[in-house]
Amino acid sequence: MSTATALKTHLTISDARVVYPDGTTTVTALDGVSLSARAREMTAIIGESGSGKSTLLSVAAALIAPDSGDVTVAGERVDGTDDTERARIRREHIGFIFQQPNLVASLNARDQLLLTDHIRGVRGKELRNRARRADDLLDRVGLGGFGERRMHQMSGGQRQRVNIARALMGSPELLLADEPTSALDHQLSHEIVELLRSLTDDLGFATVMVTHDRGLLHVMDQVVEIRDGRVLEGPERQ
Ligand code: ADP
Ligand code: MG
């Protein structure tokens, strides 16, 4: 970054190691990986299939605790926590975009964003505030006026935009995405990554995404390439 402003670090992973049991033996999926992501920064994780990208994202997402190493998300320690504590950290600090938008076909875009509020039984003024937030986010992802539109009436690109807006409903400090453009064509992939870039800049979270598409790396502040569970040495922040 060229500015002198000190940017908050929203994700720190230090020397993380993840070993999966595999029959009678084990697979070392991460073998001492370190990574940090700051506010308004976009980080790409690249590497061949089986190199450990999804495992690294699962560690960042507080879905799994590493077998060793330190992980901090938005100032909170993740390593050494139990499932309940990690669920809270995810809810309070992390937005996650899946490869295939996991959206309810019969719901309209606004209700899609409000689904967890509906499940929690949010009502009245609080629900109206959440609905305003949903509409603001739909605006920001380029779907202003599409709140009543149902998922089956939307294109793949529009559904991915709903997916992004939904991930931002909890005001996360950290936005994680596992190959968010892999189901989209070239043009739409660029549009989605440019959108993530402007949301990252405007809303001030840190974005970390796995991608196979080297054509998308020009918008990134940092590219982390992993091979066999290790970060390849190379230029750090761009
Ligand atoms: P990538 O996302 O880069 O394809 P992964 O993180 O999914 O890589 O996998 C890294 C390594 O860990 C691979 O060898 C994979 O087979 C193994 N692995 C991933 N998940 C599990 C699991 N739940 N149990 C056992 N091995 C796993
Ligand atoms: Mg993967």
Side-chain angles (χ1 to χ4, degrees):
M1 302 294 288
S2 52
T3 59
T5 323
L7 291 175
K8 255 196 169 142
T9 301
H10 287 327
L11 169 69
T12 310
I13 298 176
S14 306
D15 206 18
R17 207 177 141 76
V18 172
V19 180
Y20 294 115
D22 183 25
T24 54
T25 158
T26 58
V27 178
T28 302
L30 293 183
D31 191 10
V33 169
S34 298
L35 160 70
S36 69
R38 297 180 295 205
R40 298 195 160 76
E41 224 170 37
M42 278 188 91
T43 301
I45 298 172
I46 60 168
E48 285 173 13
S49 178
S51 57
K53 304 182 297 296
S54 293
T55 303
L56 181 54
L57 214 61
S58 300
V59 167
L63 283 165
I64 59 176
D67 293 286
S68 65
D70 303 330
V71 181
T72 304
V73 172
E76 297 211 59
R77 282 295 283 272
V78 174
D79 53 289
T81 52
D82 63 14
D83 289 350
T84 313
E85 182 66 358
R86 286 203 302 282
R88 182 192 61 75
I89 291 172
R90 285 200 296 278
R91 205 165 50 240
E92 292 185 4
H93 302 300
I94 299 170
F96 205 99
I97 301 169
F98 297 93
Q99 192 167 343
Q100 297 287 348
N102 181 21
L103 301 163
V104 184
S106 60
L107 287 182
N108 69 35
R110 183 184 301 114
D111 285 333
Q112 202 75 241
L113 269 56
L114 293 172
L115 189 56
T116 53
D117 295 287
H118 288 313
I119 291 168
R120 281 178 48 228
V122 174
R123 300 253 187 285
K125 185 165 177 238
E126 197 190 345
L127 185 61
R128 287 195 294 281
N129 287 338
R130 295 292 288 164
R132 260 198 299 278
R133 174 160 182 81
D135 286 345
D136 173 53
L137 285 170
L138 288 172
D139 252 353
R140 286 179 181 274
V141 300
L143 292 177
F146 282 70
E148 323 270 304
R149 187 74 72 94
R150 289 168 197 269
M151 290 306 108
H152 62 78
Q153 301 167 317
M154 287 191 165
S155 67
Q158 288 172 327
R159 281 200 287 268
Q160 192 53 294
R161 287 168 190 268
V162 173
N163 202 21
I164 292 167
R166 181 180 58 175
L168 298 176
M169 278 297 283
S171 308
E173 286 94 340
L174 181 61
L175 181 68
L176 301 170
D178 200 348
E179 310 231 20
T181 63
S182 63
L184 303 175
D185 68 24
H186 181 80
Q187 168 73 23
L188 279 174
S189 296
H190 276 81
E191 282 179 28
I192 290 294
V193 164
E194 297 290 349
L195 172 63
L196 288 173
R197 176 78 258 179
S198 66
L199 291 168
T200 305
D201 291 338
D202 294 349
L203 298 178
F205 49 80
T207 296
V208 179
M209 64 178 267
V210 171
T211 183
H212 264 111
D213 189 348
R214 287 181 178 269
L216 302 176
L217 299 184
H218 64 283
V219 308
M220 304 292 166
D221 300 296
Q222 179 179 217
V223 177
V224 174
E225 181 164 8
I226 60 172
R227 183 180 295 165
D228 296 333
R230 291 169 177 269
V231 176
L232 292 187
E233 292 307 320
E236 262 283 300
R237 291 191 165 80
Q238 299 178 343

